[in-house]
Amino acid sequence: GTTYTFTVPLDSGFAAGLVAGEEVTIDGVPVAVTEYDGEYATMEITLDRLTRTDLVSVQVGDEVVVGRRRSVG
């Protein structure tokens, strides 16, 4: 399916240890991190997931809430 890529600036303290392949949340929606350069995280989301969430209305420059997913166990 179609995949969309977007980039979000992240605070280095928040993103410490962030690696490609990890999932974070954007406004509560899980997204896969494809790259993190110490300042910006590039992420991917499928069109199917995007259109089923509020992220579909996010525009360039909009503020979003980024969260780290917690592993259990």
Side-chain angles (χ1 to χ4, degrees):
T2 303
T3 302
Y4 287 88
T5 301
F6 56 98
T7 302
V8 177
L10 296 179
D11 176 85
S12 61
F14 168 83
L18 187 67
V19 295
E22 186 174 342
E23 280 196 340
V24 296
T25 60
I26 302 292
D27 289 347
V29 178
V31 295
V33 174
T34 58
E35 183 178 338
Y36 177 61
D37 68 4
E39 187 174 353
Y40 293 91
T42 301
M43 303 168 202
E44 289 184 343
I45 189 169
T46 63
L47 178 61
D48 182 55
R49 180 176 281 179
L50 180 67
T51 58
R52 291 185 286 130
T53 70
D54 290 337
L55 291 181
V56 74
S57 63
V58 173
Q59 300 291 314
V60 172
D62 286 355
E63 289 190 21
V64 294
V65 177
V66 182
R68 295 289 294 264
R69 295 191 50 136
R70 305 249 185 250
S71 56
V72 178

